[in-house]
Amino acid sequence: MGYEHILVEVEPPIATITLNRPKVLNALSPDLIRELTTALAEFDADESIRAAVLTGGPKVFAAGADISDMADQGPVDQLLRDQTGRWAPLAGFKKPLIAAVNGYALGGGCEIALMCDLIIAGDTARFGQPEINLGIIPGAGGTQRWPRTAGKYVAMEVMLTGAPLTAQRAYELGIVNKVVPAEATIPVATRLAREIAAKPPLAVRMAKEAVLKAFEAPLSEGLASERKSFYFLFATEDQKEGMRAFLEKRKGVFKGR
Ligand code: COA
């Protein structure tokens, strides 16, 4: 399908989405979010895609929700169009989603990066929640995902001052997997996506699910769920192939079955 606000590149087993509203620093309009969630739903349904990269391109990731679109909205407008609830499918993507972040990842831009499973940051990346300066707060998960990843005090700093963190500080806090020169961000993220895409897809899917469960459930529930997925994977052809290949000292060939 054709998109207006994103670019989609499909090179199985990976797909790359580039946010594409450069004139407004990739501000996240409702139309852009609709396209983004539609593209991800297509990738989820496409068995030839095993991992995806989300980027804003070489200069900017996204400077947040589109302020010009929201400025005159009232609470009922926001509720009826479910302003940020419509972003939720991003966090529900079942395959690994890797953010490749250069430049500003602010407000909703930072929140969608935090919905990804791994983050590769260019040295120009800046992560922040400047909503406080607009008289609002983050509405797409920022107040919840920051404390769960970087801890309470960093989250408070980010929410209350609105000042962005550098890529290096984000790395030190563990919210970024790797900091690389800006020109390497997308290639490094793509390489990582390809590496993960070569793993047994059902195990990848369950590993992602299990880690995310740790943010939702008490430990006993998370452990029980992990155990069930672990047992389940012994029903897959890929488990048989993976273990046989190890014993036969060859590389496994995985089918996602
Ligand atoms: N929504 C709508 N438009 C945005 C935007 C946003 N979140 N962020 C940037 N833009 C637009 C600007 O209005 C400007 O448009 P114009 O050229 O028509 O005037 C264009 O993008 C370039 O932005 P500009 O502010 O001129 O760039 P800058 O390099 O001086 O500053 C930022 C960059 C990111 C610091 C600044 O744009 C900014 O603070 N953006 C808003 C961040 C924010 O509050 N996000 C949370 C939203 S809830």
Side-chain angles (χ1 to χ4, degrees):
M1 119 168 221
Y3 297 107
E4 201 183 326
H5 306 292
I6 59 172
L7 304 172
V8 171
E9 204 181 323
V10 176
E11 282 180 14
I14 70 160
T16 302
I17 299 178
T18 305
L19 308 174
N20 189 32
R21 298 185 75 211
K23 286 192 183 135
V24 287
L25 310 183
N26 294 335
L28 304 164
S29 62
D31 285 343
L32 184 152
I33 294 293
R34 191 175 312 117
E35 291 188 1
L36 186 51
T37 54
T38 303
L40 288 175
E42 282 180 11
F43 300 162
D44 247 343
D46 181 345
E47 276 193 41
S48 74
I49 305 296
R50 294 185 174 179
V53 172
L54 176 62
T55 184
K59 294 214 174 87
V60 64
F61 188 70
D66 193 323
I67 299 170
S68 60
D69 168 72
M70 290 188 299
D72 296 325
Q73 289 255 308
V76 175
D77 304 317
Q78 289 278 291
L79 182 139
L80 290 181
R81 76 178 192 178
D82 197 14
Q83 167 76 22
T84 51
R86 287 179 304 104
W87 302 30
L90 266 159
F93 185 55
K94 294 188 175 55
K95 298 174 184 177
L97 183 57
I98 302 173
V101 179
N102 285 322
Y104 293 115
L106 300 181
C110 187
E111 290 171 296
I112 63 174
L114 293 181
M115 288 184 209
C116 293
D117 303 308
L118 295 135
I119 303 179
I120 303 298
D123 48 12
T124 58
R126 297 290 178 270
F127 298 87
Q129 302 290 161
E131 288 90 342
I132 198 82
N133 300 323
L134 302 170
I136 58 169
I137 65 170
T143 65
Q144 301 305 298
R145 290 197 174 93
W146 272 96
R148 281 168 169 79
T149 46
K152 169 185 163 184
Y153 297 97
V154 172
M156 286 294 185
E157 176 189 334
V158 167
M159 302 305 142
L160 301 182
T161 70
L165 306 185
T166 61
Q168 186 56 33
R169 175 120 192 265
Y171 174 72
E172 284 156 13
L173 290 165
I175 70 158
V176 154
N177 294 88
K178 210 177 250 188
V179 182
V180 298
E183 62 277 12
T185 314
I186 298 170
V188 168
T190 304
R191 219 176 303 134
L192 186 58
R194 286 196 180 280
E195 183 186 331
I196 295 170
K199 309 284 179 199
L202 294 170
V204 166
R205 176 173 170 158
M206 296 209 162
K208 169 170 172 164
E209 240 177 68
V211 172
L212 290 177
K213 187 92 176 174
F215 292 95
E216 309 273 351
L219 182 62
S220 56
E221 201 184 303
L223 291 173
S225 163
E226 177 198 75
R227 205 170 298 127
K228 277 185 194 145
S229 296
F230 177 80
Y231 295 155
F232 168 83
L233 286 165
F234 283 77
T236 65
E237 292 175 32
D238 285 350
Q239 173 267 332
K240 298 288 173 288
E241 166 64 8
M243 293 196 178
R244 227 175 270 135
F246 174 81
L247 295 173
E248 292 167 7
K249 302 193 187 309
R250 61 176 172 84
K251 208 167 175 322
V253 180
F254 300 111
K255 295 190 287 197
R257 285 283 182 272

